[in-house]
Amino acid sequence: MAHTESKETGKIPEPTLRRLPWYLAFVKLLKGKGETFVSSTQIAKAINVDASRVAKDLSFVNISGKTRVGYEIDSLIAVLDEFLGFTTTHKTFLFGAGNLGGALLQDSGLKQYGLEIVAGFDIQESLVGKEINGIPVFHLDDFPALQSKYGATIGIITVPVEVAQSVADYIIKGGIRALWNFTPFRIRVPEGVVIQNTSMYSHLAVMFNRLQNY
Amino acid sequence: MAHTESKETGKIPEPTLRRLPWYLAFVKLLKGKGETFVSSTQIAKAINVDASRVAKDLSFVNISGKTRVGYEIDSLIAVLDEFLGFTTTHKTFLFGAGNLGGALLQDSGLKQYGLEIVAGFDIQESLVGKEINGIPVFHLDDFPALQSKYGATIGIITVPVEVAQSVADYIIKGGIRALWNFTPFRIRVPEGVVIQNTSMYSHLAVMFNRLQNY
């Protein structure tokens, strides 16, 4: 989709991108314990993947380890945090402030990972005009005005399934460039728009099934 | 892990299990529109997968379609809901009632999918003894007593990374049989215990990266 891809910002395999935050969490844990260096073998053991995979994954990141001692922990944390986008503030709107949406507004933890939810939107009279965890909830009709003000790039989709596609179309037209979709509906997006699905109900289904078969 | 596997409860491929809730969401949407039959081609088009894959996925479920008209929608919904475990109540404890944990307690929607959170646990004085969305939060030390009372099978893990493993070990010893892990820490579990990771921060990292490269 991108016309040019430099080596640094090139397409990193998604599995690598998914594993890097695990490494980061583990390395932060070591830092908390007073450690200063970590080897890929140590990370590999903790995360339960091959050491060669860890080294390969980390080769996408601009950091080099030293023979025998490994990576300097402070640098590794700083580099990973930045590389993963957690140090950049991403202005975000949330669409659908009901059960799950309202819950996500309550989660101040996302801000520490670079996701700043600046406003919520809904159409329910009981929600519009309210504040949840200090975040104002507006009527969906006010989205264009608020978008002019904030220029949000990310939209969290927690609306009912039956309106997921129409809300997505509406906000993409209005300038939202990435959707974090929590609904079980498969939203279609035009080329160049990012879609990230977090299917909590799919995870539930997998868990229930495994539980039944163990 | 299971010693015997009947055809009905045999190991279904995880990708199939993850897709079935998407089909279910779409079929419920059609029902809302007054439709009575759905073909695998229709589902395939909506979800953006091959029709043969949809038919294959649905072959794991005890339902058969009719030539030309497809599946009867009411039956398909009932069969999928039950097959996925959404109609069974799974008693669940939540560990770590802070940011994300507190948020999940607020989400009454999970109950409709068979996940009933009956109690939360924390060690923070400010949280212990409180109720969130009608769900009581107890001190972690009270877990054994509460487990005797409720016999919960699932534990949601939303504790800080540094205690994720120790809390997991503690509650598995106490009888919890499946962990729904929301921390970025890779928890290790003994054989026979189910672990389901929902790595929201990994999803964020993937989304941020794609956004940057589009």
Side-chain angles (χ1 to χ4, degrees), chain A residues 2 9 12 18 22 29 45 99 103 107 113 162 177 186 188 192 194 198 202-203 208-209 211 213-214, chain B residues 2 9 12 18 22 29 45 99 103 107 113 162 177 186 188 192 194 198 202-203 208-209 211 213-214:
Chain A
T9 59
I12 298 123
R18 273 192 268 113
W22 306 345
L29 193 66
K45 233 177 134 182
N99 283 337
D107 180 13
Y113 286 85
E162 53 273 26
R177 294 175 47 224
R186 300 296 87 187
R188 282 153 183 279
V194 179
T198 295
S202 292
H203 293 178
F208 291 163
N209 181 270
L211 195 50
N213 290 336
Y214 270 1
Chain B
T9 60
I12 297 123
R18 273 192 268 113
W22 306 345
L29 192 65
K45 233 179 135 182
N99 282 335
D107 180 12
Y113 286 84
E162 52 273 26
R177 292 176 48 226
R186 300 297 87 186
R188 283 153 183 279
V194 178
T198 295
S202 293
H203 293 179
F208 290 164
N209 181 271
L211 195 48
N213 290 336
Y214 270 0

Side-chain angles (χ1 to χ4, degrees), chain B residues 110-130:
Chain B
L110 292 168
K111 205 172 172 177
Q112 294 159 33
Y113 286 84
L115 192 94
E116 191 193 6
I117 307 178
V118 288
F121 294 89
D122 210 293
I123 54 166
Q124 295 277 352
E125 264 184 47
S126 56
L127 291 168
V128 173
K130 269 182 67 173

